[in-house]
Amino acid sequence: MPAAALPPDEAARMTALLQCRILDTPPERSFDDLTQLAARLCETPISLVSLVDDDRQWFKSACGLEAPQTPRESAFCAHAILGDTPLIVPDATRDPRTVDNGLVTGPPHIRFYAGVPLRTADGHALGTLCVIDTTPRELTTRQLEDLTALAHQASSQLELRRKAGRLTQINAELSQLNRELDEFTHIASHDLQEPLRKLMSFSALLRQDIDGDLPPRATQDLDFIVDAAGRMQKLVNDLLALSRSGRSALQVNPLELGDCVQDALAALSERVRSSGARIHVEPLPTVFGDRTLLTQLYQNLVGNALKYAHPDRPAEIRITAEQRSGAWIFGVRDNGIGIPAEYTDQVFAPFKRLHGRSEYDGTGIGLAICRKAIERHEGRIWVESEPGTGSHFRFTLGLHRDHSECLRNSLQSQPSCP
Ligand code: ADP
């Protein structure tokens, strides 16, 4: 038998086949159902979902045949994928392409073959759904229609696998990029700390050494240097905090969320007192989470509620918790300046600020840290807001008892939790 020629799209076809990540995978009901139905409807002893690999045809599903694969050069399917229409061989002993094929002259003694190509959405034929008989015969029009319909189902399954495979790959690439970015942020901010500290301390020394000897203009310039270095130090510290919130090992335990709030309020007590803000804390449940990250989350959210208070009224801040369909939604609500609707998604991105430094001090990293903390708890964070009236930052926590056990176990075997 002359081996089938390679299809003109062979390289792209093979890429598509590999993207399906299906070769050498265990049998699956969804494909086995199709071959069984095909054999029953076409009244043949054998039906296959055959995928044409580099040098073999491999059977994802084989009804009525033991062999898991055969060489590509003897594969009827390698011929079938060359055509746009089903390949029908009524009697293999009379077809020049198959008359001396080992599968015809020897077991399983193929006589009849009908194969419908399995095509991807972009047209690459990866293999066939075929039916095989050991006596010469034909298919009725109805049987060929049924076989074609089943082949479409098999093609859809392959296409789904291919898309899922690509998504998995893209996900893995994104995670890798994120890890590299985190690494870069960590290293860059860590390495910047040392020269910055020097800049700050030598500027202070310089001021001490020459205090009073400098003309006012030069004193002002020195102040600018100290001020800029201070801001940069804050930025570097915030960047480090952002990187730590994604890298540090999660310590997931059952914890009273109220304790996180109290720790956060203690850290902010001076600002709360001096601003005259009023804070109400609703009863909060026990949750599974990382105390450090959740405390930092509340500290950032309440800190922002104090910072972005409305100029005409003292801040009124409510730490909220409500149950909806059995799930908790937590929040920090304020009566501050609010956020325009078009920015409510953007404010969680690193460095996104809605005001200039002259209006409000900040680095634009606080909410990015909050989002990272919540993502690590497999929850969601968002804000509902009305400009001039106030904002309600809300979040869910997705970790539960089983998950925290699993994390604890994985932490025992790894230095950090993924
Ligand atoms: P920063 O406060 O350092 O600028 P954040 O990441 O904490 O950075 O916040 C990002 C932006 O979101 C802020 O610059 C501000 O414009 C807006 N924002 C955050 N919290 C509030 C709030 N409670 N009310 C109004 N605007 C807010």
Side-chain angles (χ1 to χ4, degrees), residues 304-305 307-308 334 337-339 347 352-355 361-368 391 393:
N304 277 351
K307 178 161 49 165
Y308 299 106
D334 64 47
I337 58 172
I339 299 172
V347 287
K352 183 67 191 176
R353 307 202 67 222
L354 306 183
H355 309 275
D361 194 28
T363 57
I365 290 178
L367 289 180
S391 308
F393 282 85

Side-chain angles (χ1 to χ4, degrees), residues 243-255 288-297 369-379 397-400 403-418:
S243 131
R244 271 193 209 109
S245 65
R247 292 159 54 97
S248 59
L250 262 197
Q251 303 287 339
V252 178
N253 290 301
L255 59 95
F288 286 91
D290 180 299
R291 183 164 180 158
T292 309
L293 286 187
L294 294 180
T295 302
Q296 192 175 30
L297 169 96
I369 293 176
C370 293
R371 185 171 67 180
K372 205 161 242 188
I374 290 301
E375 279 170 358
R376 294 196 72 192
H377 284 80
E378 299 188 3
L397 297 173
L399 297 185
H400 44 77
H403 204 117
S404 73
E405 285 301 325
C406 148
L407 277 168
R408 225 192 313 280
N409 291 341
S410 77
L411 276 173
Q412 278 162 6
S413 52
Q414 288 177 354
S416 67
C417 197

Side-chain angles (χ1 to χ4, degrees), residues 46-68:
I46 298 172
S47 171
L48 308 166
V49 169
S50 159
L51 299 167
V52 181
D53 194 4
D54 246 351
D55 55 356
R56 61 175 177 162
Q57 65 167 342
W58 177 80
F59 305 135
K60 175 60 187 170
S61 174
C63 168
L65 192 74
E66 289 295 321

Side-chain angles (χ1 to χ4, degrees), residues 85-90 95 97 112-115 137-139 144 147:
T85 50
L87 172 68
I88 314 272
V89 180
D95 190 310
R97 287 171 300 183
F112 169 75
Y113 172 92
R137 49 169 296 180
E138 292 280 355
L139 284 187
L144 185 56
L147 188 64

Side-chain angles (χ1 to χ4, degrees), residues 25 43 52 56 168 173-174 203 208 222 261 264 340 383 388 394 405:
T25 55
E43 299 167 284
V52 181
R56 61 175 177 162
T168 310
E173 284 169 10
L174 272 180
S203 304
Q208 266 177 25
L222 193 57
V261 171
V383 59
R394 319 197 73 188
E405 285 301 325

Side-chain angles (χ1 to χ4, degrees), residues 31-218:
F31 287 100
D32 290 345
D33 284 351
L34 292 178
T35 48
Q36 270 173 29
L37 260 177
R40 195 177 313 155
L41 290 168
C42 298
E43 299 167 284
T44 56
I46 298 172
S47 171
L48 308 166
V49 169
S50 159
L51 299 167
V52 181
D53 194 4
D54 246 351
D55 55 356
R56 61 175 177 162
Q57 65 167 342
W58 177 80
F59 305 135
K60 175 60 187 170
S61 174
C63 168
L65 192 74
E66 289 295 321
Q69 60 190 35
T70 69
R72 182 167 175 171
E73 65 258 22
S74 59
F76 283 51
C77 297
H79 290 277
I81 61 169
L82 295 175
D84 291 332
T85 50
L87 172 68
I88 314 272
V89 180
D91 183 349
T93 59
R94 292 171 182 273
D95 190 310
R97 287 171 300 183
T98 53
V99 63
D100 57 356
N101 184 312
L103 303 174
V104 176
T105 54
H109 299 285
I110 296 177
R111 292 293 174 272
F112 169 75
Y113 172 92
V116 182
L118 304 178
R119 290 194 182 279
T120 60
D122 44 359
H124 303 300
L126 305 184
T128 67
L129 172 66
C130 63
V131 287
I132 291 172
D133 209 335
T134 47
T135 51
R137 49 169 296 180
E138 292 280 355
L139 284 187
T140 64
T141 311
R142 177 77 175 269
Q143 283 174 323
L144 185 56
E145 280 170 7
D146 289 345
L147 188 64
T148 305
L150 292 175
H152 285 156
Q153 289 302 318
S155 298
S156 305
Q157 303 259 8
L158 289 174
E159 191 60 32
L160 272 181
R161 288 188 80 109
R162 188 174 169 212
K163 288 199 170 120
R166 268 157 72 173
L167 277 181
T168 310
Q169 190 186 351
I170 289 170
N171 235 342
E173 284 169 10
L174 272 180
S175 303
Q176 176 62 19
L177 274 179
N178 262 338
R179 272 195 296 276
E180 284 170 14
L181 199 63
D182 265 356
E183 188 88 345
F184 171 76
T185 311
H186 188 76
I187 291 171
S189 41
H190 202 264
D191 290 357
L192 277 174
Q193 266 190 331
E194 215 273 319
L196 260 178
R197 261 199 298 269
K198 280 218 171 88
L199 190 64
M200 299 277 283
S201 51
F202 280 110
S203 304
L205 280 177
L206 189 62
R207 179 175 297 172
Q208 266 177 25
D209 292 347
I210 54 178
D211 198 20
D213 299 342
L214 277 181
R217 179 73 194 273

